[in-house]
């Protein structure tokens, strides 16, 4: 009998629960404890790139916005590179753009916002150009394992049509659930997104 | 061999050179050990679970990379919940140390990764504006902290043991004592939130959230054993909690071997 391979098993996921803010955004829980806090603002005054606001809500199967959801985003910089050693052969981490942020939804409206820059197109392992996108990870009470999705941009029609991941989505009508709508408000570029956890317009979620 | 450009040491991987875009993706996630999205015994999951299957995609640079954190992100008391919110004394409760390693599925330590944790106080009350349980707030206890794993993936923090608390699921549902954990790993696809429980707690087998986990062994791995060897005499008991993140595949014929 062969010896079993000695891989470990991944630790099982559990819900983040309704009080996730205590650990991850303590100011939202109602107190101040850390000297430095993570936030939904990914940019510094020196970050290169087009400033954009991402703004949206996450809805449950009854059409009600989640008011206790937490989102994290991970994205490339304006030239399509991630701030990580695997994608920065030239060296040190970029202090002006980490590429990651987190936000809790408003306790009343459920609105989630990020202040960031529009990412550049990236190249995948097969050398294909991928449309600009933001990776989103969603946790909340009632979500047993974090949900992964992507946000694409409505003004990138040609790139979206050629994107290798969007093109895997069947039926094609579901691709629209991943595309945020560009608008302007008080001179600022705002992309609006909707994430439906369940139902007729259910957002595409990925097993990555 | 390129002698002009010395290899960049990636501090999170015990490797002589950085891994590249051509490195393999993470091991496929084994969903049989994770709770299903739709787990009706945990009522909140019913409206918050997708009905469509997840779309499986190969890992690209989007998933293999993830945020990098450093000691600059942390304060000196971030891993000491006894002191990091103390106003006029120590918090009330059982003083404990929680320690362990962040590993990947191949058994290697995941160095320099951010581990965040939050919990209720000794009476089961959270410092959160939405928690209305009648047990009192502890004026000297915040209930959150964070740590970076060291070169071997090891982390530790000090706190008080949280109490169980009731919640509106069934009429008489109580959570076991637990500490929430958030872990990053080196790539965004390793992102994980989980909960640690305490050895011997009789609430564990009747908890509707814990029993969403279909695999008994996977559930047992969330239960931290008492670790007397790591305790501090006349000061703190200790519990050991190792966390396993997804392993990373090799890319034998794409570039060079890495990951094994």
């Amino acid at each position: 009998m062969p010896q079993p391979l000695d891989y470990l098993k991944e630790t099982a996921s559990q819900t983040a629960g309704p009080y996730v803010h205590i650990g991850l955004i303590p100011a939202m829980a109602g107190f101040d404890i850390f000297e430095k806090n993570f936030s939904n603002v990914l940019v510094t005054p020196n970050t290169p790139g087009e400033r954009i606001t991402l703004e949206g809500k996450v809805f449950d199967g009854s059409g009600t916005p989640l008011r206790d959801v937490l989102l994290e985003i991970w994205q490339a910089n304006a030239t399509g590179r991630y701030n990580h050693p695997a994608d920065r052969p030239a060296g040190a981490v970029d202090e002006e753009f980490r590429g990651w942020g987190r936000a809790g939804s408003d306790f009343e409206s459920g609105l989630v916002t990020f202040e960031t820059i529009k990412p550049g197109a990236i190249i995948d392992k097969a050398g294909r150009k991928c449309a600009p996108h933001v990776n989103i990870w969603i946790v909340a009470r009632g979500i047993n394992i974090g949900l992964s999705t992507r946000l694409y941009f409505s003004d990138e029609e040609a790139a979206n049509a050629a994107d290798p991941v969007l093109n895997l989505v069947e039926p094609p009508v579901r691709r629209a659930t991943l595309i945020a709508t560009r608008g302007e408000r008080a001179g600022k570029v705002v992309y609006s997104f909707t994430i439906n956890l369940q139902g007729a317009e259910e957002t595409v979620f990925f097993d990555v | 061999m390129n002698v002009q450009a010395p290899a960049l040491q990636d501090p999170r991987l015990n490797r002589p050179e950085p891994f590249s875009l051509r490195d393999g993706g993470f091991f496929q996630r084994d969903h049989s050990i994770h709770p299903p999205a739709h787990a009706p015994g945990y009522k909140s999951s019913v409206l918050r679970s997708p009905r469509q299957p997840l779309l499986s995609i190969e890992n690209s640079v989007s998933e293999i990379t993830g945020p990098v954190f450093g000691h600059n992100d942390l304060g000196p008391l971030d891993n000491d919940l006894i002191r990091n919110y103390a106003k006029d004394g120590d918090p009330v409760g059982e003083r404990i140390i929680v320690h362990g390693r962040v590993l990947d599925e191949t058994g290697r330590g995941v160095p320099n990764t951010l581990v965040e944790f939050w919990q209720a106080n000794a009476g089961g009350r959270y410092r959160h504006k939405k928690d209305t349980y009648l047990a009192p707030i502890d004026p000297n206890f915040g209930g959150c902290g964070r740590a970076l794993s060291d070169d071997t993936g090891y982390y530790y923090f000090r706190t008080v043991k949280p109490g169980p608390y009731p919640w509106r699921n069934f009429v008489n549902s109580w959570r076991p004592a637990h500490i929430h954990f958030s872990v990053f790993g080196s790539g965004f696809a390793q992102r994980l939130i989980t909960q640690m429980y305490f050895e011997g707690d009789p609430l564990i087998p009747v908890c509707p959230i814990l029993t969403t986990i279909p695999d008994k062994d996977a559930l047992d791995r969330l239960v931290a054993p008492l670790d007397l060897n790591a305790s501090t005499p006349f000061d703190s008991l200790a519990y050991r909690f190792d966390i396993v993140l997804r392993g990373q595949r090799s890319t034998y014929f794409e570039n060079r071997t890495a990951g094994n």
Side-chain angles (χ1 to χ4, degrees):
Chain A
M1 190 177 155
Q3 292 187 33
L5 292 171
D6 59 351
Y7 290 114
L8 302 175
K9 288 285 197 179
E10 190 186 12
T11 298
S13 174
Q14 290 269 266
T15 179
Y19 307 129
V20 59
H21 317 91
I22 294 173
L24 305 190
I25 314 177
M28 285 191 70
F31 67 110
D32 182 30
I33 184 166
F34 297 133
E35 290 176 16
K36 294 178 185 171
N37 289 286
F38 302 123
S39 83
N40 62 334
V41 179
L42 283 74
V43 291
T44 73
N46 301 320
T47 307
E50 180 191 10
R51 297 294 190 278
I52 62 171
T53 300
L54 306 178
E55 187 178 274
K57 294 183 183 179
V58 181
F59 294 90
D60 73 11
S62 75
T64 305
L66 272 62
R67 295 173 300 168
D68 54 8
V69 70
L70 184 139
L71 268 58
E72 291 185 1
I73 61 173
W74 170 242
Q75 65 166 96
N77 67 14
T79 58
R81 302 308 291 266
Y82 287 95
N83 194 359
H84 183 278
D87 199 22
R88 289 189 60 82
V93 162
D94 180 356
E95 299 291 335
E96 305 299 347
F97 189 67
R98 196 198 301 264
W100 170 86
R102 66 167 47 134
S105 59
D106 182 87
F107 286 137
E108 301 300 323
S109 67
L111 197 68
V112 182
T113 61
F114 291 96
E115 302 296 333
T116 184
I117 50 131
K118 193 172 176 192
I122 65 159
I123 307 297
D124 75 2
K125 279 200 289 184
R128 298 173 300 191
K129 197 170 178 182
C130 304
H133 65 272
V134 172
N135 303 288
I136 303 180
W137 187 71
I138 305 161
V139 292
R141 172 176 68 92
I143 295 178
N144 283 324
I145 182 164
L147 293 166
S148 297
T149 186
R150 288 182 169 198
L151 181 151
Y152 289 85
F153 299 91
S154 62
D155 55 330
E156 296 283 346
E157 280 184 40
N160 291 343
D163 183 76
V165 169
L166 279 176
N167 279 302
L168 286 175
V169 175
E170 289 288 348
V173 68
R174 297 195 69 211
R175 293 170 194 170
T177 67
L178 300 177
I179 296 173
T181 306
R182 183 180 175 112
E184 284 195 25
R185 194 171 57 222
K188 287 174 68 180
V189 177
V190 179
Y191 287 91
S192 304
F193 66 89
T194 296
I195 294 171
N196 292 310
L197 296 181
Q198 188 187 97
E201 310 256 322
E202 188 172 305
T203 297
V204 174
F205 298 105
F206 298 102
D207 188 19
V208 293
Chain B
M1 190 173 158
N2 185 345
V3 291
Q4 275 89 31
L8 175 71
Q9 179 77 36
D10 177 358
R12 285 165 309 160
L13 300 161
N14 291 321
R15 295 176 181 175
E17 53 187 324
F19 66 110
S20 75
L21 296 191
R22 299 181 69 84
D23 271 33
F26 294 102
F27 294 177
Q28 174 176 298
R29 181 163 260 160
D30 178 359
H31 283 278
S32 71
I33 63 165
H34 289 288
H38 181 250
Y42 174 29
K43 295 181 182 179
S44 308
S45 75
V46 172
L47 282 176
R48 295 182 169 200
S49 45
R51 290 295 182 273
Q52 302 292 323
L54 302 179
L55 176 62
S56 296
I57 55 172
E58 286 178 69
N59 285 173
S60 71
V61 65
S62 277
E63 290 79 31
I64 294 168
T65 59
V68 176
F69 300 98
H71 288 282
N72 288 343
D73 291 310
L74 305 185
L77 293 177
D78 280 7
N79 70 340
D80 187 354
L81 281 65
I82 299 270
R83 293 276 155 74
N84 70 3
Y85 202 76
K87 303 300 180 194
D88 57 9
D90 286 349
V92 173
E94 291 180 53
R95 296 163 65 91
I96 60 168
I97 290 161
V98 178
H99 74 129
R101 289 181 73 201
V102 183
L103 304 162
D104 76 9
E105 289 169 296
T106 68
R108 279 181 308 197
V110 181
N112 201 43
T113 200
L114 185 66
V115 183
E116 299 166 288
F117 21 85
W118 68 99
Q119 63 169 89
N121 69 22
R125 175 73 184 270
Y126 281 101
R127 185 176 287 279
H128 191 292
K129 59 172 74 162
K130 298 287 183 189
D131 188 3
T132 56
Y133 180 35
L134 54 76
I137 289 282
D138 183 333
N140 292 308
F141 190 69
C144 60
R146 47 200 190 179
L148 275 181
S149 64
D150 73 7
D151 291 347
T152 68
Y154 186 73
Y155 76 93
Y156 64 93
F157 62 96
R158 180 166 72 162
T159 186
V160 294
K161 187 177 173 186
Y165 65 87
W167 59 299
R168 296 188 183 283
N169 192 65
F170 302 118
V171 170
N172 196 19
S173 293
W174 292 75
R175 297 301 326 279
H178 64 277
I179 300 176
H180 296 264
F181 276 74
S182 159
V183 195
F184 279 83
S186 62
F188 209 45
Q190 286 176 302
R191 194 78 179 83
L192 183 73
I193 278 185
T194 189
Q195 300 179 30
M196 182 202 106
Y197 303 89
F198 292 84
E199 180 182 5
D201 188 336
L203 287 168
I204 287 173
V206 295
C207 172
I209 288 181
L210 244 180
T211 52
T212 58
I213 297 173
D215 180 301
K216 174 72 166 60
D217 292 337
L219 189 158
D220 287 344
R221 288 192 295 270
L222 297 184
V223 182
L226 176 71
D227 187 352
L228 266 184
N229 287 341
S231 70
T232 307
F234 298 99
D235 184 334
S236 302
L237 281 173
Y239 287 85
R240 169 91 184 191
F241 186 54
D242 290 342
I243 300 163
V244 179
L245 303 179
R246 295 163 68 185
Q248 193 164 19
R249 281 197 304 280
S250 301
T251 52
Y252 288 108
F253 293 100
E254 282 186 69
N255 187 1
R256 62 184 171 77
T257 58
N260 281 344

